Amino acid sequence: MKVILLENIKRIGSIGEVIDVKRGFARNFLIANKKALYASKENIKEVEKIKADLSKKDTEKKKEATKIAEQINGKQYSVKKLSTENNELYGSVKPTEISKLIQEENKIDIKPSMIQPVEEIKSLGKFKVKISLHSEVDAEISINVSSADTIQ
């Protein structure tokens, strides 16, 4: 299915580009989140007209993302979780939990979908977490998981 992108999307394309994607991805993600339009002749003409505005909006989003990246890049956050004697956690540290941590400490709203742990956080220790703030701006934080208590 051919669609026209309304914003820059990492590994997919840039504003105004007509790309061919799977029907489900187009309907369920790109069009549903207003990131693309069906590639009809009318829509292609419409996007050509508003391309400058879309680029301006994208530049503003990028500036905002850069500000947020400067505030949180390299920061360290601590989490206390219940663990076993083998230093394994009961459960794991999820992106929603990391999002809440950042919200509490820095008053910055980051969606859990932007958070990509390098590896699953299922044990005690230090973990790197990548946060994709914009298609061109990433930040990296550290999550330090310590034991709240051990259960036999």
Side-chain angles (χ1 to χ4, degrees):
M1 170 179 268
K2 291 198 181 295
V3 294
I4 315 158
L5 292 177
L6 297 176
E7 60 182 67
N8 292 331
I9 302 174
K10 199 181 245 178
R11 289 185 234 124
I12 294 174
S14 56
I15 295 173
E17 203 174 318
V18 177
I19 58 168
D20 204 7
V21 293
K22 291 189 177 182
R23 181 173 253 108
F25 181 63
R27 266 202 227 118
N28 300 332
F29 179 72
L30 294 175
I31 295 169
N33 293 322
K34 294 179 176 49
K35 294 178 184 280
L37 290 172
Y38 291 108
S40 65
K41 288 180 183 176
E42 299 84 36
N43 284 347
I44 291 172
K45 286 178 186 172
E46 190 68 33
V47 169
E48 288 301 319
K49 288 178 190 171
I50 60 172
K51 200 172 185 178
D53 292 338
L54 292 173
S55 293
K56 209 178 286 179
K57 282 180 186 173
D58 190 61
T59 306
E60 287 171 22
K61 282 182 184 175
K62 187 177 176 183
K63 279 182 188 173
E64 206 172 290
T66 306
K67 274 186 199 169
I68 292 171
E70 287 171 3
Q71 289 177 329
I72 64 172
N73 204 14
K75 281 227 171 159
Q76 201 167 2
Y77 298 91
S78 295
V79 179
K80 286 191 181 282
K81 292 287 241 177
L82 290 174
S83 63
T84 64
E85 290 174 358
N86 305 355
N87 293 338
E88 291 174 0
L89 300 180
Y90 288 103
S92 63
V93 180
K94 303 271 186 227
T96 49
E97 230 174 308
I98 297 169
S99 175
K100 285 178 187 171
L101 266 178
I102 296 170
Q103 175 67 37
E104 287 169 11
E105 280 192 37
N106 297 83
K107 305 289 184 256
I108 297 171
D109 193 30
I110 292 179
K111 294 179 189 145
S113 60
M114 297 172 154
I115 298 170
Q116 299 141 358
V118 175
E119 58 185 293
E120 274 194 286
I121 304 174
K122 289 187 169 188
S123 61
L124 299 178
K126 240 184 181 178
F127 297 89
K128 294 259 182 245
V129 176
K130 192 173 151 191
I131 301 174
S132 183
L133 298 165
H134 182 269
S135 62
E136 299 168 25
V137 181
D138 290 331
E140 195 173 272
I141 61 170
S142 297
I143 301 293
N144 193 14
V145 184
S146 58
S147 179
D149 255 332
T150 53
I151 299 174
Q152 276 86 31

